[in-house]
Amino acid sequence: MINQKTYKIRGMHCASCANIIESTLKKEEGVESIEVNVGMETAKIAFDETKTNVTKLTKKIKPLGYSFVVEKMEGMDHSEHTGMKMSKSEKIAELFDMKVKIMTALPLALISIFVMSWDIFGAVGMVPVMSIFWKEFFHHLLPILATYMLFVVGKPYLLGLYRFFRYGKANMDSLIGLGTSVAFLYSFVVGAFEESLRPFLNVDNTYFDVVIVVITFITLGKYLETRSKLKTGDAIEKLLTLQAKTALVVRDGKEVEIPLSEVVHGDIISVKPGGKIPVDGIIVSGSSYVDESMITGEPMPVQKKENDLVVGGTINTTGAFVFKATKVGEETMLAHIIKMVEEAQGSKAPIQALADKISAIFVPTVLVIAFLALFGWILFGAGILGFSKALSLGLVSFVSVLVIACPCALGLATPTAIIVGVGKGAKEGILIKDATTLQKLHTINTVVVDKTGTITKGKPEVVSIKNFSEKSDSDIISILASLESKSEHPIAHSILTYANKINLAVKPPSEFEAIKGKGVKGEVDGVEYFAGNSKMIEGLALPFDSKLIEKETLEGKTPIILTTKQKVLGVIMVADSVKQEAKESVARLHSLGLKVIMLTGDDKNTAEYIAREVGIDEFFAEVTPEGKLEKIKELRTKGSIVAMAGDGVNDAPALAVADVGIAMSTGTDVAIESAGITLLNGDIGKIAKAIKLSHLTMNGIKQNLFWAFAYNIIGIPIAAGILYPFFGIIMNPVFAGGAMALSSVSVVGNSLRLKSKKL
Ligand code: ADP
Ligand code: MG
């Protein structure tokens, strides 16, 4: 049995960690695939349960400094709940621990920087040279401080170095561990054998101060990075807090408060003014306005009355009502959203592939460069500069290269931006399935929209009747309503609603068939009837002059032609109003440089009217559902990159063949996993927002990657001393440490900037 689960990982901090875990576990028997996400600190593993298990796998990575948190990250049960919280509180504890270390490290670093500056400014005559007394004092003080720094504050780096020697696997910690311990050891040896080494070396030149300052900087950088990383993931935290803790259930006529987990299907739940709606359900009595902004991003409270759907996690305003629970636990909309956001945040964007490839060889490459620099200086420098000087330059370069190299910046560049981008989307009611979709969306140049329910409200109403028969208008509507009583189409709803309103009899048809994209046919009182658009009656070869209904269709009304096999009985006109925001939204898509195409099964004239009204570039009318699918395929083969927006149920096949499928959800009843993007509350204005979000996220990623690559490509050679032969400049390891600390912090910071951008 192949088992695929996502586990939280403890002990990770950069891209090379991900590589180490991936490469170690891939080799394990039974492991089918593994994908580690640095930003989320999770691993998605598929493994054969008969061959291995999590405990076994944990054993493999434990010596390398990592472990799996065993609660699986699925569903919303309580163990998982606490699991999530635990890992967050653990994170906060870790952060606190780091803070304490920094508090002790900072004063020591300040002392070292003070001594360094005194040395430097003294040498150029800007301040008086240090007296023998102070020289001796610091000469003895700094080794003590450096020992504390290396073995207490710098312990994670020493452990990294240990793991490198023991298991041959290096990560960023190993690099820093190696750099700082070499600097420390060298200084220690020079200090201990000062007199015997004096003829060969400049024994006054030690690097205890470097050890102190570098470790402080890097620890500080890590602290800031961890703190910001915590902020990138707060969208999920926020969603989790939406969940109510209890529900007020009506049992035996009394209201009792029970824990959320005990609510079952069919429970009657009472919601008081200002109360939180605990699960999804249907209102049975009462009415109110409900604030759904936390789920849909829509700021205006929505009116809810009997038979309306309510969603768990939303908040009631001033009214009161009672509703029946229809979805509980993992089935609720909120649970689905949380799961989807979690999975999307943990997925890898294609753009990350290059960074991943480089991260995999990054650490070994840096090690090689560091040693090349060290030996290069000694071999080639000694002849020109003398051994002592060449050795010290070699050491400085060695330490600087190890310390400045930052695989973290590379590793964090993509996932942090994805996490923030996906989270920001969720806040606006834009649910993104995975990172690949988010990336693809910014390349879109054509947006195809379905008319009904996307451009229009999808709630047509009967507006007029043309009667061509001897029957009365009511008879005609009655027949049509009977036919439509078996149909699911919005048009059918409109007819039935109308028939109900004027109290007409509706009998179920004895034979019934729905013909997709055309209409319906069936038998009522022994007579066969057909109802639908002009395509529907094409096959019947009836004399019907479409001029008769031209006036109405040109006004955007949809004709439903009712016929028998022999004769057209009448035409019922329904009209579906255009969504308020449609025109503005189309204009926004245009301003993003996109072409907007409308597809509809509706009448040509009707479609043209609507297309003109909202400013659509091109439209195709009277297309069947298969025709929609073909149209998308055709656009794609012609080179367009197509996003298709439609309702997730009827248009699912067309959504599936588009580059990005955008499902417009209108309520709680949608399978939100069905499309690449789901827009809650069916607002087409969100299409432009989603595309903008994709652009912003991709820009963030590109900036991050550019910065991370440039930083390493420029930083490492300078640290190796490439500028020295030309300008006499060598990089102080202290500077390298500072740069390294800044680099990953700035990448995470840049990703966080996305949060405040307007969509
Ligand atoms: P769209 O979603 O673009 O409106 P559909 O494929 O759902 O397209 O429907 C296309 C057309 O077929 C409708 O505009 C209508 O004219 C006709 N039609 C479909 N179903 C029915 C129905 N149940 N009753 C009457 N007409 C229908
Ligand atoms: Mg439709």
Side-chain angles (χ1 to χ4, degrees):
M1 250 277 293
I2 299 296
N3 183 345
Q4 188 177 52
K5 277 181 196 148
T6 303
Y7 294 94
K8 266 222 164 283
I9 301 177
R10 220 170 280 168
M12 281 224 311
H13 33 246
C14 69
S16 30
C17 297
N19 283 310
I20 292 175
I21 296 171
E22 278 183 3
S23 65
T24 308
L25 292 184
K26 240 179 221 156
K27 281 187 289 213
E28 278 311 294
E29 203 201 337
V31 174
E32 297 277 317
S33 72
I34 168 157
E35 201 177 283
V36 175
N37 184 291
V38 199
M40 297 280 286
E41 301 182 13
T42 57
K44 195 165 161 193
I45 320 172
F47 59 85
D48 189 337
E49 276 181 329
T50 56
K51 291 190 181 136
T52 186
N53 57 44
V54 192
T55 326
K56 267 193 197 164
L57 296 177
T58 301
K59 267 195 196 129
K60 288 287 160 196
I61 55 170
K62 197 114 207 182
L64 306 173
Y66 314 106
S67 63
F68 289 123
V69 179
V70 177
E71 287 99 340
K72 59 182 179 125
M73 292 192 43
E74 277 169 1
M76 282 264 298
D77 55 3
H78 272 279
S79 64
E80 191 267 325
H81 228 87
T82 45
M84 291 274 306
K85 288 232 174 70
M86 218 175 70
S87 79
K88 175 159 188 189
S89 60
E90 265 176 15
K91 269 261 151 68
I92 291 170
E94 187 192 336
L95 214 55
F96 181 75
D97 188 48
M98 285 166 109
K99 201 171 175 177
V100 171
K101 278 185 179 164
I102 291 163
M103 295 311 241
T104 62
L106 270 180
L108 311 194
L110 285 179
I111 296 174
S112 309
I113 292 172
F114 172 72
V115 178
M116 275 182 201
S117 323
W118 196 346
D119 264 346
I120 294 168
F121 292 122
V124 294
M126 281 168 72
V127 292
V129 189
M130 218 184 273
S131 69
I132 295 291
F133 169 78
W134 285 115
K135 251 204 167 110
E136 275 303 302
F137 175 72
F138 289 125
H139 187 67
H140 289 97
L141 178 68
L142 289 183
I144 300 169
L145 302 187
T147 310
Y148 167 78
M149 276 310 250
L150 184 64
F151 291 95
V152 180
V153 182
K155 197 171 145 205
Y157 314 116
L158 288 184
L159 286 178
L161 184 60
Y162 165 77
R163 284 196 295 267
F164 172 49
F165 286 137
R166 180 88 182 11
Y167 302 100
K169 304 215 162 163
N171 62 9
M172 182 203 89
D173 283 356
S174 326
L175 295 181
I176 291 163
L178 183 61
T180 49
S181 26
V182 164
F184 183 85
L185 265 181
Y186 172 84
S187 310
F188 184 78
V189 170
V190 166
F193 305 101
E194 208 172 327
E195 293 319 314
S196 26
L197 288 174
R198 194 174 290 279
F200 315 103
L201 293 174
N202 177 1
V203 288
D204 294 330
N205 210 353
T206 59
Y207 300 104
F208 291 119
D209 48 358
V210 166
V211 173
I212 297 168
V213 180
V214 163
I215 293 180
T216 307
F217 276 175
I218 288 173
T219 311
L220 184 65
K222 261 193 160 178
Y223 168 76
L224 294 175
E225 181 195 317
T226 310
R227 215 180 56 172
S228 340
K229 253 165 83 182
L230 218 53
K231 274 195 219 141
T232 61
D234 60 6
I236 287 277
E237 293 293 326
K238 285 215 179 92
L239 286 170
L240 278 173
T241 59
L242 291 181
Q243 192 86 42
K245 302 221 162 27
T246 57
L248 214 51
V249 176
V250 183
R251 282 187 183 159
D252 305 325
K254 265 187 281 177
E255 286 178 1
V256 274
E257 191 163 348
I258 60 168
L260 188 71
S261 54
E262 286 170 22
V263 178
V264 293
H265 291 161
D267 265 343
I268 300 296
I269 298 169
S270 163
V271 181
K272 302 278 183 232
K276 204 177 245 187
I277 294 158
V279 294
D280 298 358
I282 293 178
I283 298 190
V284 287
S285 72
S287 70
S288 183
Y289 281 83
V290 174
D291 178 2
E292 295 190 329
S293 60
M294 52 298 280
I295 301 270
T296 63
E298 230 36 71
M300 287 294 285
V302 187
Q303 190 182 13
K304 300 276 175 178
K305 46 187 192 317
E306 236 168 86
N307 288 329
D308 281 346
L309 297 167
V310 288
V311 185
T314 57
I315 292 173
N316 183 22
T317 58
T318 50
F321 58 88
V322 171
F323 76 97
K324 190 167 109 190
T326 54
K327 283 178 183 162
V328 301
E330 285 182 26
E331 312 151 354
T332 62
M333 175 106 154
L334 183 60
H336 275 105
I337 293 176
I338 291 173
K339 192 172 162 207
M340 194 167 169
V341 171
E342 227 163 47
E343 276 177 6
Q345 288 187 328
S347 63
K348 269 188 187 176
I351 193 171
Q352 201 182 331
L354 180 64
D356 274 355
K357 265 189 205 139
I358 291 179
S359 305
I361 51 160
F362 189 87
V363 171
T365 311
V366 170
L367 276 171
V368 169
I369 295 175
F371 280 103
L372 282 179
L374 175 62
F375 294 118
W377 277 112
I378 296 173
L379 283 180
F380 302 108
I384 309 160
L385 305 162
F387 178 73
S388 173
K389 176 94 180 154
L391 177 65
S392 88
L393 286 177
L395 270 174
V396 165
S397 305
F398 179 77
V399 177
S400 291
V401 167
L402 292 176
V403 167
I404 204 166
C406 186
C408 295
L410 278 179
L412 291 169
T414 316
T416 52
I418 293 286
I419 291 170
V420 176
V422 168
K424 189 179 176 73
K427 230 188 218 161
E428 301 261 355
I430 300 166
L431 297 181
I432 299 154
K433 193 176 182 189
D434 52 27
T436 311
T437 307
L438 185 57
Q439 174 170 347
K440 225 183 210 169
L441 195 58
H442 89 294
T443 60
I444 293 297
N445 55 26
T446 308
V447 177
V448 177
V449 289
D450 176 43
K451 179 182 78 76
T452 317
T454 307
I455 295 290
T456 63
K457 288 190 178 141
K459 290 195 177 118
E461 279 170 13
V462 174
V463 287
S464 62
I465 298 161
K466 278 202 176 238
N467 195 338
F468 304 124
S469 72
E470 307 82 56
K471 292 180 196 291
S472 71
D473 284 5
S474 320
D475 282 346
I476 288 196
I477 298 201
S478 187
I479 293 168
L480 183 60
S482 299
L483 276 181
E484 298 285 14
S485 65
K486 286 236 170 130
S487 165
E488 297 278 304
H489 204 273
I491 287 178
H493 281 280
S494 71
I495 307 280
L496 283 164
T497 315
Y498 185 70
N500 267 333
K501 207 168 76 184
I502 55 173
N503 288 319
L504 291 180
V506 176
K507 331 174 183 151
S510 49
E511 296 268 321
F512 174 81
E513 195 186 337
I515 296 140
K516 263 196 193 162
K518 293 183 181 172
V520 290
K521 72 174 187 188
E523 230 178 80
V524 181
D525 290 333
V527 184
E528 193 176 25
Y529 294 101
F530 303 82
N533 54 16
S534 51
K535 274 206 175 146
M536 184 76 197
I537 62 165
E538 248 166 36
L540 299 170
L542 286 176
F544 179 69
D545 187 359
S546 63
K547 282 244 158 48
L548 288 172
I549 51 167
E550 201 169 47
K551 181 176 163 287
E552 283 88 354
T553 54
L554 284 175
E555 285 169 0
K557 287 160 194 155
T558 302
I560 300 154
I561 310 163
L562 177 69
T563 75
T564 60
K565 249 196 173 118
Q566 296 81 26
K567 189 174 168 349
V568 175
L569 301 179
V571 183
I572 289 85
M573 293 292 175
V574 298
D576 189 2
S577 51
V578 167
K579 285 186 187 172
Q580 222 178 359
E581 69 280 2
K583 194 171 176 180
E584 197 192 314
S585 306
V586 170
R588 251 203 101 189
L589 289 171
H590 283 152
S591 75
L592 290 170
L594 299 158
K595 186 171 176 185
V596 186
I597 298 177
M598 182 177 88
L599 294 184
T600 178
D602 213 336
D603 182 89
K604 214 181 193 134
N605 290 341
T606 315
E608 187 172 353
Y609 173 85
I610 306 245
R612 208 173 330 111
E613 186 165 314
V614 296
I616 302 254
D617 302 293
E618 205 178 330
F619 72 92
F620 298 92
E622 292 168 21
V623 265
T624 58
E626 295 77 45
K628 289 183 185 176
L629 194 141
E630 290 308 318
K631 197 81 223 169
I632 307 265
K633 280 190 185 159
E634 187 190 317
L635 285 167
R636 291 194 61 199
T637 46
K638 280 190 189 148
S640 297
I641 304 170
V642 183
M644 161 86 196
D647 66 75
V649 189
N650 292 328
D651 301 317
L655 297 189
V657 294
D659 292 283
V660 177
I662 304 176
M664 316 287 295
S665 122
T666 42
T668 50
D669 50 343
V670 276
I672 54 180
E673 290 90 351
S674 66
I677 302 229
T678 302
L679 303 180
L680 297 175
N681 221 15
D683 180 349
I684 94 156
K686 283 183 187 157
I687 301 177
K689 281 192 177 180
I691 293 172
K692 178 115 186 262
L693 177 66
S694 171
H695 277 284
L696 288 174
T697 311
M698 291 313 292
N699 282 346
I701 292 176
K702 284 175 193 162
Q703 287 158 1
N704 285 350
L705 284 174
F706 175 80
W707 161 241
F709 277 118
Y711 164 85
N712 282 302
I713 289 171
I714 297 170
I716 294 173
I718 295 181
I722 208 158
L723 295 183
Y724 192 83
F726 310 105
F727 306 105
I729 299 171
I730 188 90
M731 188 189 283
N732 190 316
V734 165
F735 181 79
M740 148 79 181
L742 274 180
S743 69
S744 47
V745 173
S746 58
V747 162
V748 182
N750 191 40
S751 295
L752 280 174
R753 257 176 5 117
L754 240 169
K755 273 194 183 180
S756 57
K757 292 261 169 72
K758 197 177 169 315
L759 289 185

